[in-house]
Amino acid sequence: MTAPVQAPQLLLLLLLTLPATGSDPVLCFTQYEDSSGRCKGLLGRDISVENCCLNAAYAFKERDSGHCQACRSPRWSPWSSWTPCSVSCSEGSQLRHRRCIGWGGQCSEKAPGTLEWQLQACEEQQCCPEMGSWSNWEPWGPCSVTCSKGARTRQRVCNNPAPKCGGHCPGVAQESEACDTQQVCPTHGAWAAWGSWSACSSSCHGEPHKPMEKRSRTCSAPQPSKEPPGKPCPGTAYEQRACTGLPPCPVAGGWGPWDPVSPCSVTCGLGQTLERRTCNRPVPQHGGPFCTGDDTRTHICNTAVSCPVDGEWEAWGDWSTCTRPHLSAIRCKEIPGQQTRIRSCKGRKFNGQRCVGKHQEIQHCYNIQNCIFGQKGSWSQWSTWGLCTPPCGPNPTRVRQRRCMALLPKFSPTVSMVEGQGEKNVTFWGNPLAQCEELQGQKVLLEEKRPCLHVPACKDPEEEKP
């Protein structure tokens, strides 16, 4: 989004690379690519972070090999793909990461550029390969030729025993050796490759004689043998042809003057101006070379105006306690109450768009916090295995759980609060007290832990790039 700029201000734009002020100079880019985490569209070097980040859509790097940082408010990047499993068979581990990207703040109390890791168990193949052994070699086959020297082969089979689970037999299934028929073979002549065409006798049309080009070849690949006699090469050793498509003498092109400088490409932050020229003084003719050099050139322009930054909703907060005004005793009873949750619109600056939608939600509820409803609870199924923790520390483990789940009361799922406004859905709020039969010595929560195996090291992927 761009802000309006008055015409007199355009006359003051300086077409130069901006000096750095207030902070170390950086490389400024016009785009941050979320999918790859790379800076795109280099705008200029030796620019201060403050000037570059007048536009929150821009990005910067502190040096040519540094991390790319977006000018927007910091937030976590998407999780990377899981790394390959640390072993190719049996159980191993794999990592993934995300990075705090942005400028002028933090991601969950972590500074921009910080990496966060996750580790999980993996298994690409249940079993590991077992090698096999070869059978005995079969008898040698016949010689491949009827005269001079050739080769013969023999085979063997990988079945003594056969490999298992993707294994193989070391070595080759076939081998060959030289064989001699004790007979001399005749050598027939063959042409070597044609030589290059000679230069045309003229480079332009209009000469008194028709331009021609020639080439030759030799019967030497190989020469025919004399004893026993080989056949000579068929065909001719020379050929010629007329030169076609010769142009008139060429005229080299020349550049015309530069056109007027275009206006700045943006109305906020940093942009570019453009100049063009045309290869028309003279226009290249008859195959003459085109003008050397670029037909455009750009300069950096600074509007000295901050670009608008739209607001973004933060995550919804937790639901408030389920209550009912002027009625304190609704817990554990079929008496509907109300609860609210809110969210905040953060990051809006420089007249950017406000967040779209509501900042508060209200719902009807039954308060069942710490209630006992008389019926026994039941144990849940095992949860899926959790992530390995700590992902980058010593001896990471993973956990799964079974919980004692309370049975919810059969309260009405809807309620009519105001006559004429229809039925409203009612949800349960709170955690009722569950009573389950003892399982492996536990009454509320049963956990199982397992170590994560073959854990790879946590290495910054940016430091591994060439």
Side-chain angles (χ1 to χ4, degrees):
M1 178 177 179
T2 58
V5 174
Q6 296 178 357
Q9 290 177 310
L10 292 175
L11 300 177
L12 299 178
L13 301 180
L14 299 179
L15 310 180
L16 48 83
T17 301
L18 296 174
T21 59
S23 62
D24 291 336
V26 298
L27 282 72
C28 186
F29 298 82
T30 60
Q31 181 185 358
Y32 177 78
E33 189 177 71
D34 281 298
S35 60
S36 66
R38 296 181 182 273
C39 290
K40 293 296 183 73
L42 178 63
L43 186 63
R45 299 171 180 268
D46 296 330
I47 297 173
S48 70
V49 174
E50 289 81 3
N51 277 333
C52 183
C53 288
L54 287 170
N55 190 330
Y58 283 7
F60 65 90
K61 291 170 69 172
E62 294 182 356
R63 59 187 185 278
D64 284 337
S65 61
H67 301 311
C68 179
Q69 284 290 352
C71 285
R72 69 186 183 212
S73 297
R75 61 173 180 260
W76 288 111
S77 69
W79 284 105
S80 68
S81 301
W82 289 105
T83 60
C85 200
S86 57
V87 292
S88 59
C89 59
S90 78
E91 183 176 305
S93 301
Q94 55 188 173
L95 286 163
R96 69 175 182 177
H97 68 275
R98 63 178 181 178
R99 189 183 297 277
C100 180
I101 301 297
W103 179 74
Q106 293 183 327
C107 302
S108 304
E109 299 182 356
K110 299 294 178 69
T114 300
L115 284 175
E116 186 174 85
W117 296 89
Q118 286 187 341
L119 177 72
Q120 71 173 9
C122 55
E123 185 179 88
E124 292 189 358
Q125 183 174 308
Q126 289 184 347
C127 58
C128 290
E130 294 182 19
M131 305 296 283
S133 295
W134 294 105
S135 67
N136 294 327
W137 286 103
E138 296 176 1
W140 287 103
C143 197
S144 59
V145 296
T146 57
C147 62
S148 189
K149 296 181 180 180
R152 61 179 184 172
T153 61
R154 65 178 181 177
Q155 289 83 29
R156 59 181 177 174
V157 182
C158 182
N159 62 357
N160 188 32
K164 296 180 181 179
C165 200
H168 64 280
C169 290
V172 296
Q174 177 178 293
E175 66 178 11
S176 61
E177 69 175 10
C179 54
D180 193 350
T181 64
Q182 306 298 320
Q183 299 292 323
V184 178
C185 295
T187 302
H188 303 305
W191 290 112
W194 284 104
S196 301
W197 288 102
S198 65
C200 285
S201 56
S202 176
S203 61
C204 301
H205 284 304
E207 297 293 330
H209 302 289
K210 188 174 183 179
M212 301 293 291
E213 56 185 1
K214 299 178 181 180
R215 68 176 181 174
S216 63
R217 59 181 177 174
T218 59
C219 186
S220 59
Q223 292 181 340
S225 62
K226 294 181 179 180
E227 189 62 36
K231 297 178 181 179
C233 297
T236 61
Y238 300 91
E239 68 177 9
Q240 66 177 12
R241 67 183 181 185
C243 297
T244 59
L246 294 177
C249 294
V251 176
W255 288 113
W258 288 102
D259 293 339
V261 179
S262 70
C264 192
S265 60
V266 297
T267 55
C268 64
L270 301 183
Q272 290 182 328
T273 58
L274 179 69
E275 289 181 279
R276 295 183 183 276
R277 60 180 176 175
T278 306
C279 184
N280 60 0
R281 291 193 181 181
V283 175
Q285 300 180 58
H286 312 311
F290 194 80
C291 301
T292 58
D294 297 325
D295 63 347
T296 62
R297 62 185 179 186
T298 60
H299 307 276
I300 295 177
C301 52
N302 185 0
T303 66
V305 176
S306 297
C307 294
V309 179
D310 296 338
E312 295 181 355
W313 284 118
E314 288 192 332
W316 283 104
D318 295 329
W319 286 104
S320 64
T321 302
C322 182
T323 60
R324 184 163 179 167
H326 313 300
L327 188 60
S328 59
I330 68 169
R331 191 173 66 86
C332 307
K333 299 178 181 180
E334 192 175 0
I335 300 176
Q338 282 189 343
Q339 57 186 165
T340 61
R341 65 175 182 177
I342 60 173
R343 58 180 177 176
S344 300
C345 182
K346 297 291 186 179
R348 178 176 176 266
K349 294 186 294 185
F350 311 123
N351 203 31
Q353 294 289 332
R354 299 180 185 275
C355 299
V356 178
K358 298 178 180 179
H359 83 285
Q360 176 177 284
E361 284 187 341
I362 301 175
Q363 70 176 9
H364 299 285
C365 53
Y366 293 120
N367 187 331
I368 59 171
Q369 178 69 14
N370 296 330
C371 295
I372 299 176
F373 292 105
Q375 295 179 329
K376 281 192 175 182
S378 61
W379 287 99
S380 68
Q381 297 295 320
W382 282 110
S383 67
T384 57
W385 285 104
L387 294 172
C388 299
T389 57
C392 301
N395 305 319
T397 58
R398 51 181 177 151
V399 178
R400 65 175 184 173
Q401 299 176 335
R402 293 184 70 180
R403 292 181 177 276
C404 177
M405 306 297 292
L407 295 176
L408 296 176
K410 295 181 180 180
F411 291 172
S412 173
T414 61
V415 64
S416 178
M417 301 300 294
V418 179
E419 185 176 353
Q421 292 189 1
E423 296 288 319
K424 303 291 184 180
N425 292 329
V426 188
T427 186
F428 289 104
W429 178 84
N431 295 311
L433 297 179
Q435 296 178 332
C436 294
E437 294 183 357
E438 187 174 301
L439 180 63
Q440 297 182 21
Q442 301 296 323
K443 293 184 178 182
V444 178
L445 177 66
L446 180 64
E447 285 190 341
E448 180 181 355
K449 288 188 177 181
R450 221 182 250 187
C452 296
L453 307 178
H454 307 293
V455 177
C458 295
K459 295 181 179 180
D460 189 338
E462 292 291 338
E463 297 177 359
E464 299 179 357
K465 292 182 180 178

